[in-house]
């Protein structure tokens, strides 16, 4: 019977009788004394080594000889492919140094510094890799200033280009490329992708890049940043699914971020879900203001001061013949606005007409103001609005003005109506998804608003003037949609669907790019997102 645990703990294991076996003698080891231990130590011969340094980049340690003069760059590229190439070069050099052949001491390669170009022409000079690729594909060529001069092209000043530029739809198709979201920057990424594939806007940037030669300066930082941004994309019309070599790696649009930081834009773009629309407003308006400053400075140097005196009477207005042959007093509330390529692409005008029974304060029964716009903000909160057509009907519907007083001091029922007087080649529609309620605060309008692939302007939306006759048969095709994801106004995410030249539709979600089967995938209702900004481009 086996002993119990209690018995073992008290008396130990029971003694058992075993056969005696031969055992080895026990050898006792003596602990050496301190003197004996010290005498047994062998001190190795130590040689002084040359001082060395190392540079650690990510997980890569690069040894630097103390005799080499190494200047570390102040800019470290974020492109993973660049560092992989540097590591392969490092491994190749390290393997070569182990050979028995005597080779010259290699000079530590300097990391290329991504410095700003000194001129527009410098931006056009291709790198060796780009020059090799250009030999195989003409669409990927970057024309340098020397080559353009050899072709007989005459470079001009930025002022001349801004004054004489006309809307073009000849921008080449570029290969899709993702944008890295460096921290709640999705609202910027979708706007930059939409502007990149806006043919007139991209054509304008490329035209300036190829036609103007002058040094970069701080007067037009946003314009320069957008030109460098477009330069990051390679011209390629190949559909996404047919690309054999794959897409180029995503990148961070640092030039645009830096230009916006200089203008302190980030101080006002914090935590608002209208950020996508606000960012586009800051970006486009900022480029327009830079162009205006260039043109005004140019005209101040060339136009005599006496010629500006006639502009003082612009605010007096003028009379036009309105409906039913009645006089209408017209006034341009933004007569000082300067015409730029931005206003040619996105700029339209609304005619706001005030009608009062009898006469108005200036002696005419109707008075109209011309109000410019760069995008139309459409109210979609009403229960009667379910389509873009309904929202435009709401925009032009007459509005009754409460408490209006006539010249004689008598109350009168006045009405105000807004209609389209001038429509831009790129019509941007901003759906006002976020509204303020007294009891709930800011909330989002979640309902689906139907939008067509092709938009025709109804006669009721246009002003009754000869200038709008050309828009009555005009049609606009859908070229881009920016979506807002999320159920609350305090958070969410932005993605976009963009049409490339040739008709291919792509979906952009920061670094992720997917090809859509057709425009039907863009038009249908989505359960996880709602349309926020629509881009319609006039059909040529």
């Amino acid at each position: 019977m086996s002993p119990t645990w209690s018995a073992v703990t008290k008396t130990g294991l029971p003694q058992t009788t075993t056969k005696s076996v031969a055992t080895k003698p026990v050898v006792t080891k003596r602990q050496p004394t301190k003197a004996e231990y010290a005498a047994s130590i062998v001190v190795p011969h130590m040689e002084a080594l040359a001082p060395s340094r190392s540079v650690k980049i990510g997980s890569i340690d690069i040894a630097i000889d103390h005799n080499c003069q190494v200047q570390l760059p102040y800019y470290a590229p974020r492109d993973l492919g660049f560092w992989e190439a540097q590591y392969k070069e490092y491994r190749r050099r390290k393997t070569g140094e182990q050979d028995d052949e005597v080779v010259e001491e290699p000079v530590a390669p300097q990391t290329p510094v991504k410095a700003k170009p000194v001129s527009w022409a410098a931006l056009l000079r291709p790198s060796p890799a780009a020059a090799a690729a250009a030999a195989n594909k003409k669409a990927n060529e970057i024309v340098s200033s020397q080559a353009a001069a050899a072709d007989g092209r005459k470079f001009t000043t930025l002022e001349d280009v801004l004054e004489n530029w006309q809307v073009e739809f000849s921008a080449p198709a570029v290969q899709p490329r993702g944008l890295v979201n460096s921290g709640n920057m999705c609202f910027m990424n979708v706007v930059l992708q939409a502007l990149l594939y806006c043919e007139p806007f991209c054509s304008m940037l490329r035209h300036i890049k190829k036609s103007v030669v002058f040094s970069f300066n701080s007067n037009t930082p946003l314009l320069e940043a957008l030109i460098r941004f477009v330069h990051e994309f390679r011209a390629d019309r190949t559909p996404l699914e047919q690309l054999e070599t794959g897409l180029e790696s995503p990148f961070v649009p640092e030039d645009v971020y830096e230009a916006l930081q200089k203008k302190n834009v980030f101080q006002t773009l914090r935590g608002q879900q209208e950020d996508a629309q606000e960012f586009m407003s800051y970006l486009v308006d900022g480029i327009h203001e830079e162009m205006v400053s260039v043109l005004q400075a140019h005209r101040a140097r060339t136009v005599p001061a006496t010629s500006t005196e006639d502009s003082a009477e612009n605010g007096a207005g003028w009379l036009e013949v309105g409906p039913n042959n009645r006089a209408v007093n017209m006034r341009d509330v933004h007569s000082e606005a300067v015409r730029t390529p931005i206003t040619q692409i996105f700029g339209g005008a609304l005619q706001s007409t005030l009608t009062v029974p009898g006469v108005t304060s200036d002696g005419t029964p109707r008075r109209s103001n011309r109000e410019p716009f760069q995008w139309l903000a459409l109210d979609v909160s009403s229960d009667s609005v379910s389509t873009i057509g309904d929202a435009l009907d709401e925009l032009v519907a007459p509005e009754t003005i409460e408490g209006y007083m006539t010249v004689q001091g008598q109350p009168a029922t006045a009405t105000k109506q807004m209609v389209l007087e001038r429509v831009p080649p790129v019509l941007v529609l901003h759906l006002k998804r976020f509204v303020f309620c007294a009891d709930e605060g800011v909330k989002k309008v979640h309902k689906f608003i139907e939008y067509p692939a092709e938009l025709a302007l109804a006669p009721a939306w246009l002003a009754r003037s000869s200038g709008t006759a050309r828009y009555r048969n005009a049609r606009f095709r859908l070229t881009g949609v920016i979506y807002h994801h999320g159920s609350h106004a305090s958070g969410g995410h932005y993605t976009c669907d963009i049409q490339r030249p040739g008709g291919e539709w792509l979906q952009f979600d920061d670094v992720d790019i997917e090809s859509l089967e057709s425009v039907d995938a863009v038009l249908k209702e989505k359960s996880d997102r709602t349309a926020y900004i629509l881009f319609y481009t006039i059909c040529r």
Side-chain angles (χ1 to χ4, degrees), residues 330-465:
M330 299 293 298
R331 186 167 65 93
D332 195 340
V333 296
H334 291 272
S335 58
E336 72 281 0
V338 179
R339 178 177 177 268
T340 67
I342 294 297
T343 60
Q344 294 184 61
I345 297 172
F346 302 105
L350 289 170
Q351 184 185 105
S352 176
T353 303
L354 177 66
T355 304
V356 184
V359 295
T360 58
S361 58
D362 54 12
T364 58
R366 296 168 62 87
R367 184 177 61 189
S368 295
N369 295 332
R370 179 180 296 143
E371 302 177 3
F373 68 86
Q374 289 187 355
W375 35 80
L376 290 177
L378 302 180
D379 186 3
V380 295
S381 60
S382 175
D383 294 336
S384 61
V385 176
S386 60
T387 66
I388 290 298
D390 296 338
L392 288 170
D393 289 338
E394 288 281 333
L395 177 68
V396 303
E399 176 186 0
T400 302
I401 300 178
E402 302 291 342
Y404 186 85
M405 304 296 291
T406 64
V407 179
Q408 296 78 15
Q410 300 296 326
T413 302
T415 59
K416 177 182 178 182
Q417 185 177 19
M418 301 180 68
V419 289
L420 295 171
E421 185 179 85
R422 185 174 69 250
V423 185
V426 180
L427 180 61
V428 181
L429 304 179
H430 168 219
L431 307 186
K432 299 170 66 175
R433 291 282 182 183
F434 305 99
V435 297
F436 178 80
C437 299
D439 53 344
E440 301 181 20
V442 179
K443 69 174 186 179
K444 180 181 177 180
V445 180
H446 296 276
K447 66 178 179 180
F448 172 66
I449 301 298
E450 183 180 349
Y451 45 92
E454 194 170 271
L455 177 66
L457 302 181
W461 304 341
L462 302 174
R464 299 180 182 179
S465 63

Side-chain angles (χ1 to χ4, degrees), residues 167 169 200 423-427 470-471 474-477 479 536-540:
V167 177
F169 295 85
V423 185
V426 180
L427 180 61
R470 63 181 181 274
Y471 302 123
R475 306 187 72 84
F476 294 77
R477 58 185 176 87
T479 54
Y536 280 94
T537 304
I538 193 169
C539 298
R540 306 187 302 279

